[in-house]
Amino acid sequence: VGHPELCSRPCLYFAMGSCDSGESCEYCHLAHPKRPAHLDKRHREMLRSMAPSEWAALVMPILQKKIEALDDSLETRAIFGDIASGFGIPSGSMVSSMPQRSQRMLILTLRSMCLKSLLAAVQRGLSQCSQGVDEAVDVLLQHLRKLTGQAAEPIAQRLQQL
């Protein structure tokens, strides 16, 4: 459900034609155009070296755009607001202490990540600085999965337009 933005990683066994788990498999059995983007060691170190507010100011606008592409309802915005409000992100962009080229490369990687991976990065990276992030991210994922289960085609079309 929510392929490819919310689905789990592709099933390697299915791709080779031999997944014995069938419908109980926890991985995605639909085609994925390429290997999913992820944060490499250099990117994770850059994020760890940033202050939580700087980290959030960098990631949250990207996350917001991806979420709005799936669903722009008031309910979804309110759930996202619960995540964003915990970080005290000031309005306007923050100046990062990292070199401009490194920041651009990190932003490109974050933009190319699927929504589920980006939300997992937010949970791992920011949960220690704000209580309730794990719960709010889980609520958001459940909400979006429920929506995508009801209207998968319109959501897929909106994502292709991005």
Side-chain angles (χ1 to χ4, degrees):
V1 175
H3 177 78
E5 285 295 315
L6 297 175
C7 68
S8 56
R9 297 186 322 209
C11 177
L12 298 176
Y13 296 107
F14 184 79
M16 295 187 313
S18 64
C19 181
D20 296 332
S21 300
E23 290 192 25
S24 64
C25 183
E26 295 180 16
Y27 299 97
C28 183
H29 283 190
L30 298 175
H32 286 255
K34 60 181 180 176
R35 184 171 183 223
H38 65 281
L39 297 173
D40 62 17
K41 184 177 181 180
R42 183 175 37 106
H43 293 136
R44 290 189 305 270
E45 287 173 359
M46 278 190 255
L47 289 172
R48 268 190 230 113
S49 70
M50 297 169 81
S53 60
E54 189 178 21
W55 200 113
L58 184 70
V59 174
M60 297 310 272
I62 297 167
L63 184 58
Q64 182 177 11
K65 189 172 184 175
K66 286 184 175 282
I67 290 169
E68 287 175 354
L70 284 175
D71 181 49
D72 202 20
S73 70
L74 291 176
E75 185 178 0
T76 302
R77 286 181 185 199
I79 297 169
F80 176 76
D82 291 344
I83 297 169
S85 66
F87 303 115
I89 302 170
S91 57
S93 61
M94 293 184 65
V95 177
S96 174
S97 58
M98 78 171 75
Q100 243 185 350
R101 184 177 190 284
S102 297
Q103 185 174 2
R104 272 196 322 268
M105 296 305 293
L106 177 59
I107 289 170
L108 286 173
T109 300
L110 291 167
R111 284 183 181 157
S112 65
M113 291 171 66
C114 72
L115 179 58
K116 184 177 178 184
S117 297
L118 197 53
L119 285 169
V122 167
Q123 273 186 313
R124 282 190 305 274
L126 298 175
S127 61
Q128 71 274 8
C129 66
S130 178
Q131 290 185 335
V133 170
D134 287 337
E135 184 180 324
V137 169
D138 287 340
V139 167
L140 180 62
L141 270 171
Q142 289 172 358
H143 172 72
L144 292 173
R145 282 191 175 123
K146 186 174 87 175
L147 289 173
T148 57
Q150 294 171 354
E153 281 191 35
I155 288 170
Q157 291 170 356
R158 280 186 264 166
L159 286 173
Q160 288 174 351
Q161 293 172 355
L162 286 180

